[in-house]
Amino acid sequence: MNQNEMQWDKLLKIKTTGRDDSNSDQYCYPYEPTPYCILERLASSGYIGKRNKLLDYGTGKGRVCFYLSYQCKCKSIGIEYDERLYDGAKMNQETASIGRGTDFVMENAENYIVPADVDRCYFFNPFSVELLQTVLAKIMDSYYENPRELQLFFYYPSEEYVAYLMTQDNLMFMDEIDCIDLFPGHDPRERILIFEVA
């Protein structure tokens, strides 16, 4: 584990490191927190600010919510289906330097009704493309009931995700945040794709 990961966890007064695949299967993928260097790049992109409300799919122990609430002053909701990980997020909320403005819901993503004030959604490959289709339908329902600027962020997207997202008429590709320089190996998946609901 690198120094940056531990320093941010310590500063935010949370414990989010480590991978957990105890409840993963072909549809729901293992918990692995987004590296803080990726979140730093996203926070400095200007796409998320204090007037935004972020929904983090597959939040795990809540790192994305705590970090972006701290850095961008946005409000955030984390969705998690795994009870043990959800409990970890709730425990972090009690100790976090910025527990206010963050909320966690234990729910399967495909059943979750997206609140009308959510205008940013974050994904780090939390589930299969089959589940993504259902989740996007819920996001669209929320958008049509309350039209607004609504942006979706996909970190380290799989080829299946990219192929599916690029064929959706109601999603417009906006931007890509290149993160390939942050890790050795020049992995082309090290990026955040940004789509806007249209």
Side-chain angles (χ1 to χ4, degrees):
M1 185 187 330
N2 82 30
Q3 197 65 25
N4 193 41
E5 297 288 293
M6 292 187 293
Q7 285 174 333
W8 269 114
D9 258 20
K10 190 173 178 182
L11 176 71
L12 295 171
K13 299 183 180 148
I14 57 177
K15 292 181 179 155
T16 60
T17 56
R19 181 183 160 98
D20 185 330
D21 57 6
S22 55
N23 276 337
S24 62
D25 59 26
Q26 69 200 43
Y27 299 109
C28 299
Y29 298 155
Y31 165 70
E32 187 174 356
T34 301
Y36 279 114
C37 58
I38 299 293
L39 294 176
E40 286 168 359
R41 195 153 284 182
L42 177 57
S44 63
S45 69
Y47 284 112
I48 303 171
K50 63 183 178 187
R51 285 187 283 283
N52 298 125
K53 188 162 193 177
L54 175 92
L55 177 53
D56 176 28
Y57 282 97
T59 197
K61 300 172 188 172
R63 175 183 290 189
V64 169
C65 292
F66 293 118
Y67 179 87
L68 292 174
S69 294
Y70 179 83
Q71 286 292 78
C72 303
K73 310 294 185 250
C74 66
K75 289 187 167 50
S76 59
I77 304 171
I79 302 299
E80 181 54 56
Y81 82 105
D82 183 322
E83 187 173 2
R84 210 156 41 91
L85 292 172
Y86 169 79
D87 288 345
K90 293 302 279 184
M91 278 174 23
N92 280 330
Q93 193 172 25
E94 289 171 21
T95 61
S97 29
I98 186 151
R100 294 180 320 280
T102 60
D103 194 19
F104 296 100
V105 178
M106 196 173 93
E107 178 70 85
N108 287 343
E110 65 271 24
N111 299 330
Y112 184 68
I113 307 296
V114 178
D117 58 346
V118 163
D119 60 0
R120 301 289 184 269
C121 297
Y122 182 84
F123 301 82
F124 175 17
N125 294 323
F127 34 67
S128 66
V129 171
E130 290 83 2
L131 285 185
L132 177 63
Q133 292 171 4
T134 308
V135 166
L136 283 178
K138 294 281 190 194
I139 292 171
M140 295 305 164
D141 289 346
S142 175
Y143 173 78
Y144 292 128
E145 284 171 25
N146 182 33
R148 60 204 184 269
E149 179 190 82
L150 181 51
Q151 294 173 357
L152 314 179
F153 302 89
F154 294 89
Y155 168 57
Y156 204 76
S158 65
E159 285 180 23
E160 293 82 11
Y161 264 44
V162 175
Y164 176 72
L165 293 167
M166 291 298 190
T167 61
Q168 297 310 295
D169 293 337
N170 43 16
L171 290 182
M172 184 176 70
F173 175 72
M174 274 183 64
D175 199 1
E176 176 180 315
I177 300 172
D178 187 3
C179 304
I180 205 165
D181 59 306
L182 295 174
F183 303 99
H186 296 294
D187 185 345
R189 286 179 66 183
E190 287 295 351
R191 57 188 176 153
I192 301 170
L193 297 182
I194 306 171
F195 289 83
E196 186 155 9
V197 176

